[in-house]
């Protein structure tokens, strides 16, 4: 079936450290993955995406890693800042073009 | 600002009523998605349209319906509302199916 889940519901990270948010997916036919950030009271904001023919993609302070063998996705945020506090969702697109979201990980930044 | 506009921002209505949520996609985007987000939950995919045609359907209740109009705006109709329908409803749009989707700020529906 289709499911995208996150290993940890809450992640606390010291300001300035790197954050790693993990995600497992179950649909081996998924060919496109997206990370979103949702701040309180706002809609999800696109962070970075990756297609299944890649295993790594870098953006500004963010890196997404895709391991198709174990169906695992991760988002790395470098030098975490207070403004990174949010809920992070991974999402996958299956062959039927539905984009399915996981439950989210709340990232909490410690001063 | 993502460029996706949703109205209204807030809606309070009674059980049994019907409401219509409206979404204007980003200029040039052909695909529109609707999601429901309950308190502290993830985003549940409801339905997707591409250039006026239904493209994919998720866990959308029979009491809910949607459509995308020729000008590409979309409406989500919720009828026979129940307390459990209280949630944030998000619309997103993308240029093509499968490209990154940009979300609106959502409509917060409260059913009392």
């Amino acid at each position: 079936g289709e499911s995208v889940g996150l290993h940890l519901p809450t992640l606390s990270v010291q300001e300035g450290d790197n954050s790693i948010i993990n995600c497992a997916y179950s649909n081996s036919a998924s060919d496109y993955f997206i990370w979103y950030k949702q701040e309180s009271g706002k809609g999800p904001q696109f962070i970075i995406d990756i297609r299944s023919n890649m295993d790594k993609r870098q953006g500004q302070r963010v890196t997404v890693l895709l391991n198709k063998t174990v169906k695992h996705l991760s988002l790395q945020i470098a030098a975490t800042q207070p403004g990174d506090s949010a809920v992070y969702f991974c999402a996958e697109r299956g062959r039927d073009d539905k984009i399915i979201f996981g439950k989210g990980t709340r990232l909490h930044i410690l001063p | 600002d993502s460029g996706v506009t949703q109205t209204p921002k807030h809606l309070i209505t009674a059980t049994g009523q019907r409401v219509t949520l409206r979404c204007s996609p980003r200029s040039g985007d052909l695909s529109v998605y609707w999601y429901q987000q309950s308190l502290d939950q993830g985003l549940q995919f409801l339905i997707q349209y591409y250039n006026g045609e239904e493209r994919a359907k998720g866990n959308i209740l029979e009491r809910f319906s949607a459509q995308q109009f020729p000008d590409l705006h979309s409406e989500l109709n919720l009828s026979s509302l129940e307390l459990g329908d209280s949630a944030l409803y998000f619309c997103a749009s993308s240029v093509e199916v499968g490209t990154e989707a940009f979300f609106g700020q959502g409509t917060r529906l409260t059913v009392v």
Side-chain angles (χ1 to χ4, degrees):
Chain A
E2 298 170 346
S3 70
V4 178
L6 293 162
H7 294 310
L8 297 172
T10 303
L11 176 66
S12 295
V13 174
Q14 204 76 38
E15 182 180 346
D17 286 353
N18 296 336
S19 302
I20 300 176
I21 302 172
N22 296 304
C23 176
Y25 65 95
S26 63
N27 187 354
S28 56
S30 293
D31 61 356
Y32 178 62
F33 303 88
I34 316 164
W35 280 101
Y36 283 92
K37 171 186 180 183
Q38 187 176 24
E39 296 174 283
S40 182
K42 296 185 179 180
Q45 178 186 358
F46 171 86
I47 302 173
I48 192 167
D49 59 1
I50 188 167
R51 297 198 181 275
S52 59
N53 59 355
M54 303 171 68
D55 53 20
K56 181 179 180 179
R57 191 162 187 224
Q58 288 184 291
Q60 187 178 12
R61 276 203 312 120
V62 294
T63 301
V64 56
L65 299 177
L66 174 62
N67 185 331
K68 294 181 287 294
T69 303
V70 295
K71 290 186 281 189
H72 183 268
L73 194 67
S74 69
L75 176 70
Q76 300 178 3
I77 304 173
T80 310
Q81 302 169 358
D84 295 327
S85 287
V87 177
Y88 289 81
F89 293 97
C90 65
E92 64 177 314
R93 183 192 70 173
R95 283 205 184 124
D96 55 4
D97 292 332
K98 289 190 282 188
I99 298 181
I100 305 299
F101 281 74
K103 287 197 182 298
T105 293
R106 185 175 302 280
L107 179 62
H108 178 59
I109 311 305
L110 302 170
Chain B
D1 182 6
S2 67
V4 178
T5 303
Q6 289 187 246
T7 57
K9 286 189 169 48
H10 302 277
L11 197 49
I12 301 175
T13 191
T15 54
Q17 294 299 304
R18 171 190 166 95
V19 297
T20 298
L21 312 184
R22 183 187 168 98
C23 171
S24 295
R26 293 188 319 159
S27 177
D29 283 0
L30 299 177
S31 197
V32 168
Y33 313 76
W34 285 98
Y35 289 85
Q36 179 193 57
Q37 185 176 38
S38 300
L39 189 64
D40 288 335
Q41 294 294 312
L43 291 110
Q44 299 296 317
F45 172 75
L46 295 178
I47 199 163
Q48 178 193 349
Y49 285 85
Y50 178 76
N51 204 20
E53 298 291 325
E54 183 183 304
R55 185 63 179 254
K57 214 166 187 176
N59 298 322
I60 187 167
L61 299 172
E62 285 190 11
R63 299 183 286 109
F64 296 1
S65 65
Q67 62 183 122
Q68 186 180 27
F69 294 86
D71 67 353
L72 301 177
H73 91 273
S74 179
E75 292 181 356
L76 178 67
N77 300 298
L78 315 176
S79 61
S80 302
L81 285 167
E82 301 175 359
L83 295 178
D85 297 328
S86 295
L88 271 167
Y89 291 84
F90 285 103
C91 168
S93 73
S94 61
V95 172
E96 294 283 345
V97 171
T99 57
E100 67 266 27
F102 294 85
F103 280 75
Q105 293 300 299
T107 292
R108 181 174 294 280
L109 174 66
T110 303
V111 182
V112 297

